[in-house]
Amino acid sequence: MGPSRSERLSFHSTPPPTPEEELERFAELQKSLEDRWFHLRDIDSGPRDIVIVPSLSIEGLPMSTIPGITHYEERMLFTLMLLRHPRAHLVYVTSQPIHPAMVDYLIAMVRGIPAAHVRERLSLLSTYDSSPRPLTEKILERPRLIHRIRQHIRPEQAHMTCFTVSHRERALAVRLGIPLYGVDPALLELGTKSGSRRVFREAGVAIPAGVSDVREEREVAEAVVDLWEEQPDLGRVVVKHDHGFSGEGNAVLSLGPLSGLRPPHASRSSRVDRVLEELPRMRFASKGTSWPRFLEALRGMGGVVEAFIEGRTTRSPSAQLRINPRRELEAMSTHDQLLGGADGQTYAGCVFPADPPYRRGIQEDGMRVGRVLVDKGVVGRFAVDFIAVEREDDPGRWDHYAIEINLRITGTTHPLMIMRMLNDGRYDPESGLYLTKRGEPRVYVSTDTLSSPSYRGLLVDDLLDIAAVHGLHYQPWTDSGVVFHMTGALSQFGKLGLTSIGEDHQSAQAWLDATREALDRETRSG
């Protein structure tokens, strides 16, 4: 399937298209997406090629501050399940090579197809560039790699799927001559913090009190005071960059130190001046961020100021949805997100499904948002994040507020898709449960941040050996156990991801706890 020597030597560099030419070619390529995407689900449709580019092309993402960021590209390896189509060929591109043991580990999980048959139809390519930059940017810098990708596919029957979509992915699709499954970059504004609030209002879903499209220091202070005057008992506000990712780009300001200025005990101008003094002392979700750096990014991309939702108990659920190329909207799952960092602003993992008291409510609101996005021409996977708060006067009852649209694959996508790859089950939107092929419900806990300094130096082979010795690997006969991901970050950073699957939340959490205990025990003993 790979290029011959003569084909490699025949490479000739061609200049990239002009911006106008790129837009024209992209629009023309996208006309073929529907046919190619749906035929991948039809065994009789003939050969199909898929290019996977798991690039984190997200404006405002401080990639250099996230340990092992390039290994997050491994989270799309669930796409190996597409190789169940016996005539499909998949090209998976990463910044750094994926460990062969991890490839074998995941190929073995593709049900119904011999591992050797899967491996024959999988091509792994790499830029061999570990710099903390978007993968697609690295690919575009390497025209010979683009040529090599083209030699691995039949462009007339191929399409590309990415973790995120930006102008970079559009440019790569045009250079490859294949359509792109994902949101048109021209619509990405709908997924910014300010754009999300506009979509939420159009959809008629509840949102926190807030002010959109702020850029300057005084605009932030004015917005804080506006919210404070609207809610005199407000304790905190959160300032968010429009293109923030997984909580990175958020900052929280406590109004406690300003309690003497609460309305109506001081003039508005004195409150604004005092807030301006406090802004440099905000708590930033991204480590190492200072107010000057935060403000510089805010000026560049804009942002929002929102009331920090407080309550008896708060949760951070999300609803995952998909709009296919025929503009059909589908609910995919719900999750409770696990958050860490300052003021619980940073994504660390998730629990499936979301808690029953608000599970159906966030799914219904997610569908309302999805219908607005369908009308605006969005295609691809997306998620709607919420804040759920238990009522003080009525324990057990919850209110929820929409806070963000992620127009991309998210950290909650890969654990669900891994479970589908393992047991070929389905999500039931009526019950909100995932049902195996036998009709049995399964739940999971997933994390990208199982880490310890003592894990550094562990190789992928060591991890798989420890899991085997302690009986942690996924067990098909019980549809439960542990599946690892992001293992490329283990040896250098002492960090990995995993999804632990069980019959209920207790058993799923028990699998995760057992894995942590086994790794701690093995690394303590040297």
Side-chain angles (χ1 to χ4, degrees), residues 374-420:
V374 168
D375 291 341
K376 295 183 182 299
V378 170
V379 171
R381 291 181 179 271
F382 67 97
V384 182
D385 292 346
F386 297 84
I387 292 291
V389 57
E390 190 175 15
R391 294 180 181 176
E392 295 280 358
D393 57 348
D394 192 3
R397 295 287 300 277
W398 295 71
D399 296 316
H400 60 267
Y401 305 88
I403 59 171
E404 181 179 3
I405 302 171
N406 292 303
L407 290 178
R408 54 178 170 80
I409 288 175
T410 69
T412 55
T413 303
H414 69 92
L416 180 75
M417 300 308 292
I418 282 289
M419 191 153 71
R420 285 189 60 186

mmCIF file of all heavy atoms in Angstrom, residues 374-420:
data_model
loop_
_atom_site.group_PDB
_atom_site.id
_atom_site.type_symbol
_atom_site.label_atom_id
_atom_site.label_comp_id
_atom_site.label_asym_id
_atom_site.label_seq_id
_atom_site.Cartn_x
_atom_site.Cartn_y
_atom_site.Cartn_z
ATOM 1 N N VAL A 374 -27.561 22.942 13.636
ATOM 2 C CA VAL A 374 -27.942 22.345 12.351
ATOM 3 C C VAL A 374 -28.359 23.443 11.379
ATOM 4 O O VAL A 374 -27.944 23.464 10.211
ATOM 5 C CB VAL A 374 -29.081 21.323 12.534
ATOM 6 C CG1 VAL A 374 -29.665 20.929 11.171
ATOM 7 C CG2 VAL A 374 -28.583 20.079 13.255
ATOM 8 N N ASP A 375 -29.190 24.370 11.853
ATOM 9 C CA ASP A 375 -29.676 25.460 11.002
ATOM 10 C C ASP A 375 -28.537 26.348 10.498
ATOM 11 O O ASP A 375 -28.643 26.967 9.440
ATOM 12 C CB ASP A 375 -30.697 26.316 11.753
ATOM 13 C CG ASP A 375 -32.006 25.574 11.997
ATOM 14 O OD1 ASP A 375 -32.253 24.571 11.307
ATOM 15 O OD2 ASP A 375 -32.767 25.997 12.897
ATOM 16 N N LYS A 376 -27.444 26.393 11.271
ATOM 17 C CA LYS A 376 -26.316 27.244 10.901
ATOM 18 C C LYS A 376 -25.290 26.501 10.049
ATOM 19 O O LYS A 376 -24.268 27.074 9.653
ATOM 20 C CB LYS A 376 -25.663 27.823 12.155
ATOM 21 C CG LYS A 376 -26.587 28.775 12.916
ATOM 22 C CD LYS A 376 -25.920 29.399 14.112
ATOM 23 C CE LYS A 376 -26.883 30.302 14.883
ATOM 24 N NZ LYS A 376 -27.384 31.436 14.076
ATOM 25 N N GLY A 377 -25.532 25.215 9.796
ATOM 26 C CA GLY A 377 -24.668 24.470 8.885
ATOM 27 C C GLY A 377 -23.552 23.679 9.523
ATOM 28 O O GLY A 377 -22.653 23.197 8.826
ATOM 29 N N VAL A 378 -23.581 23.494 10.849
ATOM 30 C CA VAL A 378 -22.523 22.750 11.539
ATOM 31 C C VAL A 378 -22.633 21.261 11.218
ATOM 32 O O VAL A 378 -23.729 20.697 11.161
ATOM 33 C CB VAL A 378 -22.608 22.978 13.061
ATOM 34 C CG1 VAL A 378 -21.687 22.027 13.812
ATOM 35 C CG2 VAL A 378 -22.256 24.428 13.393
ATOM 36 N N VAL A 379 -21.479 20.605 11.022
ATOM 37 C CA VAL A 379 -21.386 19.165 10.832
ATOM 38 C C VAL A 379 -20.284 18.647 11.752
ATOM 39 O O VAL A 379 -19.250 19.296 11.922
ATOM 40 C CB VAL A 379 -21.052 18.803 9.365
ATOM 41 C CG1 VAL A 379 -20.729 17.320 9.230
ATOM 42 C CG2 VAL A 379 -22.202 19.171 8.448
ATOM 43 N N GLY A 380 -20.506 17.465 12.350
ATOM 44 C CA GLY A 380 -19.477 16.837 13.159
ATOM 45 C C GLY A 380 -19.905 16.635 14.597
ATOM 46 O O GLY A 380 -21.056 16.888 14.976
ATOM 47 N N ARG A 381 -18.962 16.158 15.391
ATOM 48 C CA ARG A 381 -19.212 15.941 16.822
ATOM 49 C C ARG A 381 -19.060 17.254 17.583
ATOM 50 O O ARG A 381 -18.219 18.093 17.235
ATOM 51 C CB ARG A 381 -18.228 14.912 17.392
ATOM 52 C CG ARG A 381 -18.459 13.496 16.888
ATOM 53 C CD ARG A 381 -17.467 12.534 17.516
ATOM 54 N NE ARG A 381 -17.704 11.177 17.054
ATOM 55 C CZ ARG A 381 -18.530 10.320 17.637
ATOM 56 N NH1 ARG A 381 -19.192 10.687 18.725
ATOM 57 N NH2 ARG A 381 -18.699 9.106 17.150
ATOM 58 N N PHE A 382 -19.842 17.404 18.642
ATOM 59 C CA PHE A 382 -19.696 18.561 19.513
ATOM 60 C C PHE A 382 -20.245 18.210 20.894
ATOM 61 O O PHE A 382 -20.920 17.194 21.071
ATOM 62 C CB PHE A 382 -20.403 19.792 18.935
ATOM 63 C CG PHE A 382 -21.903 19.687 18.878
ATOM 64 C CD1 PHE A 382 -22.693 20.232 19.877
ATOM 65 C CD2 PHE A 382 -22.530 19.048 17.814
ATOM 66 C CE1 PHE A 382 -24.083 20.140 19.822
ATOM 67 C CE2 PHE A 382 -23.910 18.953 17.753
ATOM 68 C CZ PHE A 382 -24.692 19.494 18.760
ATOM 69 N N ALA A 383 -19.920 19.048 21.862
ATOM 70 C CA ALA A 383 -20.396 18.837 23.226
ATOM 71 C C ALA A 383 -20.886 20.159 23.790
ATOM 72 O O ALA A 383 -20.394 21.230 23.427
ATOM 73 C CB ALA A 383 -19.286 18.263 24.106
ATOM 74 N N VAL A 384 -21.869 20.070 24.674
ATOM 75 C CA VAL A 384 -22.378 21.240 25.387
ATOM 76 C C VAL A 384 -22.103 21.020 26.870
ATOM 77 O O VAL A 384 -22.558 20.024 27.451
ATOM 78 C CB VAL A 384 -23.885 21.447 25.147
ATOM 79 C CG1 VAL A 384 -24.357 22.715 25.868
ATOM 80 C CG2 VAL A 384 -24.196 21.525 23.667
ATOM 81 N N ASP A 385 -21.343 21.921 27.464
ATOM 82 C CA ASP A 385 -20.996 21.830 28.887
ATOM 83 C C ASP A 385 -21.967 22.645 29.727
ATOM 84 O O ASP A 385 -22.422 23.723 29.305
ATOM 85 C CB ASP A 385 -19.573 22.339 29.128
ATOM 86 C CG ASP A 385 -18.519 21.437 28.517
ATOM 87 O OD1 ASP A 385 -18.859 20.294 28.141
ATOM 88 O OD2 ASP A 385 -17.356 21.875 28.410
ATOM 89 N N PHE A 386 -22.252 22.130 30.928
ATOM 90 C CA PHE A 386 -23.198 22.760 31.840
ATOM 91 C C PHE A 386 -22.594 22.865 33.237
ATOM 92 O O PHE A 386 -21.626 22.184 33.572
ATOM 93 C CB PHE A 386 -24.488 21.928 31.943
ATOM 94 C CG PHE A 386 -25.276 21.800 30.670
ATOM 95 C CD1 PHE A 386 -24.957 20.828 29.726
ATOM 96 C CD2 PHE A 386 -26.339 22.650 30.410
ATOM 97 C CE1 PHE A 386 -25.684 20.697 28.556
ATOM 98 C CE2 PHE A 386 -27.067 22.531 29.232
ATOM 99 C CZ PHE A 386 -26.740 21.546 28.311
ATOM 100 N N ILE A 387 -23.207 23.705 34.042
ATOM 101 C CA ILE A 387 -23.041 23.696 35.497
ATOM 102 C C ILE A 387 -24.384 23.279 36.081
ATOM 103 O O ILE A 387 -25.418 23.870 35.752
ATOM 104 C CB ILE A 387 -22.659 25.086 36.045
ATOM 105 C CG1 ILE A 387 -21.245 25.470 35.597
ATOM 106 C CG2 ILE A 387 -22.741 25.097 37.566
ATOM 107 C CD1 ILE A 387 -20.142 24.648 36.236
ATOM 108 N N ALA A 388 -24.383 22.243 36.914
ATOM 109 C CA ALA A 388 -25.601 21.803 37.603
ATOM 110 C C ALA A 388 -25.442 22.110 39.086
ATOM 111 O O ALA A 388 -24.387 21.857 39.673
ATOM 112 C CB ALA A 388 -25.832 20.305 37.388
ATOM 113 N N VAL A 389 -26.480 22.660 39.692
ATOM 114 C CA VAL A 389 -26.417 23.054 41.106
ATOM 115 C C VAL A 389 -27.649 22.533 41.832
ATOM 116 O O VAL A 389 -28.784 22.672 41.349
ATOM 117 C CB VAL A 389 -26.277 24.591 41.246
ATOM 118 C CG1 VAL A 389 -27.422 25.324 40.554
ATOM 119 C CG2 VAL A 389 -26.169 25.004 42.699
ATOM 120 N N GLU A 390 -27.423 21.901 42.970
ATOM 121 C CA GLU A 390 -28.518 21.375 43.785
ATOM 122 C C GLU A 390 -29.199 22.528 44.518
ATOM 123 O O GLU A 390 -28.533 23.408 45.067
ATOM 124 C CB GLU A 390 -27.984 20.351 44.784
ATOM 125 C CG GLU A 390 -29.066 19.578 45.505
ATOM 126 C CD GLU A 390 -28.497 18.484 46.397
ATOM 127 O OE1 GLU A 390 -27.273 18.522 46.677
ATOM 128 O OE2 GLU A 390 -29.279 17.608 46.814
ATOM 129 N N ARG A 391 -30.524 22.494 44.518
ATOM 130 C CA ARG A 391 -31.276 23.585 45.142
ATOM 131 C C ARG A 391 -31.123 23.562 46.660
ATOM 132 O O ARG A 391 -31.256 22.519 47.294
ATOM 133 C CB ARG A 391 -32.749 23.484 44.777
ATOM 134 C CG ARG A 391 -33.036 23.698 43.304
ATOM 135 C CD ARG A 391 -34.515 23.587 43.007
ATOM 136 N NE ARG A 391 -34.799 23.770 41.578
ATOM 137 C CZ ARG A 391 -36.000 23.653 41.044
ATOM 138 N NH1 ARG A 391 -37.046 23.342 41.822
ATOM 139 N NH2 ARG A 391 -36.170 23.838 39.753
ATOM 140 N N GLU A 392 -30.858 24.737 47.220
ATOM 141 C CA GLU A 392 -30.713 24.856 48.674
ATOM 142 C C GLU A 392 -32.019 24.525 49.388
ATOM 143 O O GLU A 392 -32.029 23.875 50.435
ATOM 144 C CB GLU A 392 -30.280 26.281 49.038
ATOM 145 C CG GLU A 392 -28.896 26.674 48.534
ATOM 146 C CD GLU A 392 -27.783 26.138 49.407
ATOM 147 O OE1 GLU A 392 -28.091 25.501 50.423
ATOM 148 O OE2 GLU A 392 -26.602 26.354 49.058
ATOM 149 N N ASP A 393 -33.148 24.957 48.810
ATOM 150 C CA ASP A 393 -34.437 24.801 49.471
ATOM 151 C C ASP A 393 -35.140 23.495 49.118
ATOM 152 O O ASP A 393 -36.224 23.214 49.621
ATOM 153 C CB ASP A 393 -35.356 25.978 49.121
ATOM 154 C CG ASP A 393 -35.561 26.117 47.606
ATOM 155 O OD1 ASP A 393 -34.822 25.463 46.858
ATOM 156 O OD2 ASP A 393 -36.449 26.875 47.199
ATOM 157 N N ASP A 394 -34.522 22.696 48.225
ATOM 158 C CA ASP A 394 -35.172 21.459 47.787
ATOM 159 C C ASP A 394 -34.104 20.426 47.423
ATOM 160 O O ASP A 394 -33.873 20.130 46.243
ATOM 161 C CB ASP A 394 -36.075 21.745 46.582
ATOM 162 C CG ASP A 394 -36.992 20.574 46.257
ATOM 163 O OD1 ASP A 394 -36.957 19.571 46.998
ATOM 164 O OD2 ASP A 394 -37.746 20.673 45.263
ATOM 165 N N PRO A 395 -33.417 19.859 48.431
ATOM 166 C CA PRO A 395 -32.353 18.893 48.162
ATOM 167 C C PRO A 395 -32.844 17.749 47.267
ATOM 168 O O PRO A 395 -33.961 17.255 47.425
ATOM 169 C CB PRO A 395 -31.983 18.385 49.558
ATOM 170 C CG PRO A 395 -32.378 19.496 50.479
ATOM 171 C CD PRO A 395 -33.618 20.089 49.872
ATOM 172 N N GLY A 396 -31.993 17.373 46.315
ATOM 173 C CA GLY A 396 -32.371 16.339 45.365
ATOM 174 C C GLY A 396 -32.870 16.890 44.045
ATOM 175 O O GLY A 396 -32.951 16.160 43.061
ATOM 176 N N ARG A 397 -33.227 18.177 44.034
ATOM 177 C CA ARG A 397 -33.638 18.847 42.788
ATOM 178 C C ARG A 397 -32.481 19.714 42.306
ATOM 179 O O ARG A 397 -31.794 20.358 43.101
ATOM 180 C CB ARG A 397 -34.873 19.711 43.021
ATOM 181 C CG ARG A 397 -36.128 18.929 43.399
ATOM 182 C CD ARG A 397 -36.707 18.177 42.203
ATOM 183 N NE ARG A 397 -37.069 19.083 41.126
ATOM 184 C CZ ARG A 397 -38.236 19.762 41.081
ATOM 185 N NH1 ARG A 397 -39.129 19.633 42.052
ATOM 186 N NH2 ARG A 397 -38.501 20.553 40.060
ATOM 187 N N TRP A 398 -32.270 19.732 40.986
ATOM 188 C CA TRP A 398 -31.121 20.419 40.427
ATOM 189 C C TRP A 398 -31.545 21.400 39.336
ATOM 190 O O TRP A 398 -32.486 21.140 38.595
ATOM 191 C CB TRP A 398 -30.139 19.412 39.814
ATOM 192 C CG TRP A 398 -29.506 18.492 40.814
ATOM 193 C CD1 TRP A 398 -30.111 17.474 41.496
ATOM 194 C CD2 TRP A 398 -28.151 18.502 41.248
ATOM 195 N NE1 TRP A 398 -29.217 16.849 42.322
ATOM 196 C CE2 TRP A 398 -27.996 17.455 42.181
ATOM 197 C CE3 TRP A 398 -27.033 19.283 40.914
ATOM 198 C CZ2 TRP A 398 -26.787 17.173 42.799
ATOM 199 C CZ3 TRP A 398 -25.826 19.010 41.529
ATOM 200 C CH2 TRP A 398 -25.702 17.973 42.451
ATOM 201 N N ASP A 399 -30.835 22.520 39.272
ATOM 202 C CA ASP A 399 -30.928 23.441 38.147
ATOM 203 C C ASP A 399 -29.627 23.320 37.343
ATOM 204 O O ASP A 399 -28.571 22.987 37.899
ATOM 205 C CB ASP A 399 -31.099 24.884 38.623
ATOM 206 C CG ASP A 399 -32.411 25.089 39.374
ATOM 207 O OD1 ASP A 399 -33.453 24.586 38.911
ATOM 208 O OD2 ASP A 399 -32.374 25.741 40.438
ATOM 209 N N HIS A 400 -29.722 23.592 36.054
ATOM 210 C CA HIS A 400 -28.492 23.539 35.256
ATOM 211 C C HIS A 400 -28.439 24.722 34.292
ATOM 212 O O HIS A 400 -29.472 25.246 33.853
ATOM 213 C CB HIS A 400 -28.364 22.207 34.501
ATOM 214 C CG HIS A 400 -29.474 21.929 33.549
ATOM 215 N ND1 HIS A 400 -30.605 21.203 33.888
ATOM 216 C CD2 HIS A 400 -29.644 22.272 32.246
ATOM 217 C CE1 HIS A 400 -31.407 21.122 32.855
ATOM 218 N NE2 HIS A 400 -30.853 21.760 31.841
ATOM 219 N N TYR A 401 -27.197 25.121 33.989
ATOM 220 C CA TYR A 401 -26.943 26.284 33.150
ATOM 221 C C TYR A 401 -25.903 25.911 32.092
ATOM 222 O O TYR A 401 -24.860 25.336 32.419
ATOM 223 C CB TYR A 401 -26.410 27.453 33.981
ATOM 224 C CG TYR A 401 -27.294 27.824 35.139
ATOM 225 C CD1 TYR A 401 -27.159 27.198 36.384
ATOM 226 C CD2 TYR A 401 -28.276 28.805 35.000
ATOM 227 C CE1 TYR A 401 -27.977 27.520 37.456
ATOM 228 C CE2 TYR A 401 -29.094 29.145 36.082
ATOM 229 C CZ TYR A 401 -28.947 28.496 37.301
ATOM 230 O OH TYR A 401 -29.757 28.827 38.345
ATOM 231 N N ALA A 402 -26.174 26.230 30.832
ATOM 232 C CA ALA A 402 -25.227 25.957 29.757
ATOM 233 C C ALA A 402 -24.107 26.993 29.798
ATOM 234 O O ALA A 402 -24.363 28.189 29.972
ATOM 235 C CB ALA A 402 -25.937 26.006 28.407
ATOM 236 N N ILE A 403 -22.861 26.524 29.643
ATOM 237 C CA ILE A 403 -21.739 27.465 29.741
ATOM 238 C C ILE A 403 -20.812 27.445 28.529
ATOM 239 O O ILE A 403 -20.065 28.403 28.321
ATOM 240 C CB ILE A 403 -20.894 27.218 31.013
ATOM 241 C CG1 ILE A 403 -20.337 25.796 31.018
ATOM 242 C CG2 ILE A 403 -21.706 27.512 32.274
ATOM 243 C CD1 ILE A 403 -19.321 25.563 32.129
ATOM 244 N N GLU A 404 -20.848 26.386 27.715
ATOM 245 C CA GLU A 404 -19.865 26.334 26.631
ATOM 246 C C GLU A 404 -20.264 25.293 25.585
ATOM 247 O O GLU A 404 -20.794 24.233 25.914
ATOM 248 C CB GLU A 404 -18.490 25.977 27.197
ATOM 249 C CG GLU A 404 -17.378 25.904 26.182
ATOM 250 C CD GLU A 404 -16.034 25.581 26.813
ATOM 251 O OE1 GLU A 404 -15.965 25.358 28.037
ATOM 252 O OE2 GLU A 404 -15.049 25.559 26.057
ATOM 253 N N ILE A 405 -19.977 25.597 24.316
ATOM 254 C CA ILE A 405 -20.100 24.632 23.220
ATOM 255 C C ILE A 405 -18.689 24.302 22.734
ATOM 256 O O ILE A 405 -17.898 25.207 22.440
ATOM 257 C CB ILE A 405 -20.917 25.196 22.050
ATOM 258 C CG1 ILE A 405 -22.315 25.607 22.495
ATOM 259 C CG2 ILE A 405 -21.004 24.175 20.919
ATOM 260 C CD1 ILE A 405 -23.090 26.375 21.437
ATOM 261 N N ASN A 406 -18.378 23.022 22.651
ATOM 262 C CA ASN A 406 -17.103 22.578 22.082
ATOM 263 C C ASN A 406 -17.389 21.981 20.711
ATOM 264 O O ASN A 406 -17.916 20.870 20.611
ATOM 265 C CB ASN A 406 -16.440 21.536 22.987
ATOM 266 C CG ASN A 406 -15.982 22.129 24.303
ATOM 267 O OD1 ASN A 406 -15.208 23.079 24.312
ATOM 268 N ND2 ASN A 406 -16.462 21.590 25.405
ATOM 269 N N LEU A 407 -17.049 22.705 19.656
ATOM 270 C CA LEU A 407 -17.317 22.241 18.294
ATOM 271 C C LEU A 407 -16.167 21.351 17.818
ATOM 272 O O LEU A 407 -15.421 21.676 16.896
ATOM 273 C CB LEU A 407 -17.495 23.435 17.352
ATOM 274 C CG LEU A 407 -18.754 24.262 17.549
ATOM 275 C CD1 LEU A 407 -18.782 25.448 16.580
ATOM 276 C CD2 LEU A 407 -19.998 23.411 17.351
ATOM 277 N N ARG A 408 -16.029 20.195 18.457
ATOM 278 C CA ARG A 408 -14.914 19.291 18.165
ATOM 279 C C ARG A 408 -15.110 18.011 18.957
ATOM 280 O O ARG A 408 -16.012 17.899 19.790
ATOM 281 C CB ARG A 408 -13.588 19.933 18.573
ATOM 282 C CG ARG A 408 -13.586 20.406 20.034
ATOM 283 C CD ARG A 408 -12.262 20.990 20.463
ATOM 284 N NE ARG A 408 -12.352 21.641 21.763
ATOM 285 C CZ ARG A 408 -12.327 21.010 22.927
ATOM 286 N NH1 ARG A 408 -12.225 19.688 22.955
ATOM 287 N NH2 ARG A 408 -12.417 21.679 24.064
ATOM 288 N N ILE A 409 -14.263 17.043 18.678
ATOM 289 C CA ILE A 409 -14.129 15.899 19.566
ATOM 290 C C ILE A 409 -13.593 16.416 20.900
ATOM 291 O O ILE A 409 -12.793 17.348 20.947
ATOM 292 C CB ILE A 409 -13.172 14.863 18.942
ATOM 293 C CG1 ILE A 409 -13.860 14.174 17.762
ATOM 294 C CG2 ILE A 409 -12.694 13.844 19.956
ATOM 295 C CD1 ILE A 409 -12.962 13.229 16.999
ATOM 296 N N THR A 410 -14.037 15.824 22.002
ATOM 297 C CA THR A 410 -13.613 16.284 23.319
ATOM 298 C C THR A 410 -13.009 15.130 24.116
ATOM 299 O O THR A 410 -12.956 13.986 23.647
ATOM 300 C CB THR A 410 -14.807 16.861 24.109
ATOM 301 O OG1 THR A 410 -15.701 15.781 24.444
ATOM 302 C CG2 THR A 410 -15.558 17.906 23.298
ATOM 303 N N GLY A 411 -12.576 15.450 25.335
ATOM 304 C CA GLY A 411 -12.024 14.417 26.205
ATOM 305 C C GLY A 411 -13.038 13.371 26.611
ATOM 306 O O GLY A 411 -12.656 12.296 27.107
ATOM 307 N N THR A 412 -14.319 13.645 26.410
ATOM 308 C CA THR A 412 -15.362 12.665 26.743
ATOM 309 C C THR A 412 -15.719 11.773 25.554
ATOM 310 O O THR A 412 -16.528 10.861 25.701
ATOM 311 C CB THR A 412 -16.638 13.385 27.226
ATOM 312 O OG1 THR A 412 -17.039 14.336 26.225
ATOM 313 C CG2 THR A 412 -16.399 14.111 28.528
ATOM 314 N N THR A 413 -15.115 12.029 24.395
ATOM 315 C CA THR A 413 -15.447 11.240 23.206
ATOM 316 C C THR A 413 -14.765 9.883 23.212
ATOM 317 O O THR A 413 -15.399 8.846 23.007
ATOM 318 C CB THR A 413 -15.055 11.998 21.921
ATOM 319 O OG1 THR A 413 -15.699 13.271 21.896
ATOM 320 C CG2 THR A 413 -15.452 11.205 20.685
ATOM 321 N N HIS A 414 -13.451 9.881 23.455
ATOM 322 C CA HIS A 414 -12.708 8.641 23.260
ATOM 323 C C HIS A 414 -13.084 7.525 24.233
ATOM 324 O O HIS A 414 -13.111 6.350 23.825
ATOM 325 C CB HIS A 414 -11.195 8.901 23.266
ATOM 326 C CG HIS A 414 -10.638 9.301 24.584
ATOM 327 N ND1 HIS A 414 -10.127 8.400 25.477
ATOM 328 C CD2 HIS A 414 -10.506 10.511 25.163
ATOM 329 C CE1 HIS A 414 -9.698 9.045 26.546
ATOM 330 N NE2 HIS A 414 -9.921 10.320 26.383
ATOM 331 N N PRO A 415 -13.425 7.789 25.513
ATOM 332 C CA PRO A 415 -13.799 6.645 26.362
ATOM 333 C C PRO A 415 -15.068 5.938 25.892
ATOM 334 O O PRO A 415 -15.144 4.708 25.930
ATOM 335 C CB PRO A 415 -13.972 7.255 27.754
ATOM 336 C CG PRO A 415 -14.102 8.716 27.549
ATOM 337 C CD PRO A 415 -13.347 9.029 26.298
ATOM 338 N N LEU A 416 -16.063 6.706 25.427
ATOM 339 C CA LEU A 416 -17.278 6.077 24.913
ATOM 340 C C LEU A 416 -16.977 5.264 23.655
ATOM 341 O O LEU A 416 -17.454 4.129 23.503
ATOM 342 C CB LEU A 416 -18.335 7.136 24.605
ATOM 343 C CG LEU A 416 -19.645 6.566 24.049
ATOM 344 C CD1 LEU A 416 -20.450 5.900 25.147
ATOM 345 C CD2 LEU A 416 -20.472 7.647 23.366
ATOM 346 N N MET A 417 -16.159 5.829 22.762
ATOM 347 C CA MET A 417 -15.861 5.128 21.525
ATOM 348 C C MET A 417 -14.990 3.892 21.770
ATOM 349 O O MET A 417 -15.111 2.881 21.066
ATOM 350 C CB MET A 417 -15.188 6.084 20.538
ATOM 351 C CG MET A 417 -16.041 7.289 20.173
ATOM 352 S SD MET A 417 -17.699 6.841 19.604
ATOM 353 C CE MET A 417 -17.302 6.057 18.049
ATOM 354 N N ILE A 418 -14.117 3.958 22.769
ATOM 355 C CA ILE A 418 -13.334 2.773 23.146
ATOM 356 C C ILE A 418 -14.273 1.676 23.621
ATOM 357 O O ILE A 418 -14.124 0.494 23.278
ATOM 358 C CB ILE A 418 -12.314 3.130 24.243
ATOM 359 C CG1 ILE A 418 -11.103 3.839 23.638
ATOM 360 C CG2 ILE A 418 -11.871 1.892 25.013
ATOM 361 C CD1 ILE A 418 -10.187 2.950 22.814
ATOM 362 N N MET A 419 -15.286 2.037 24.428
ATOM 363 C CA MET A 419 -16.221 1.031 24.911
ATOM 364 C C MET A 419 -17.009 0.422 23.754
ATOM 365 O O MET A 419 -17.257 -0.787 23.730
ATOM 366 C CB MET A 419 -17.165 1.618 25.964
ATOM 367 C CG MET A 419 -17.974 0.551 26.690
ATOM 368 S SD MET A 419 -18.475 1.015 28.355
ATOM 369 C CE MET A 419 -19.698 2.253 28.016
ATOM 370 N N ARG A 420 -17.373 1.233 22.777
ATOM 371 C CA ARG A 420 -18.060 0.700 21.603
ATOM 372 C C ARG A 420 -17.156 -0.250 20.828
ATOM 373 O O ARG A 420 -17.602 -1.273 20.308
ATOM 374 C CB ARG A 420 -18.513 1.842 20.693
ATOM 375 C CG ARG A 420 -19.731 2.596 21.211
ATOM 376 C CD ARG A 420 -20.254 3.547 20.162
ATOM 377 N NE ARG A 420 -20.658 2.840 18.955
ATOM 378 C CZ ARG A 420 -21.049 3.454 17.839
ATOM 379 N NH1 ARG A 420 -21.060 4.774 17.781
ATOM 380 N NH2 ARG A 420 -21.414 2.755 16.792
#
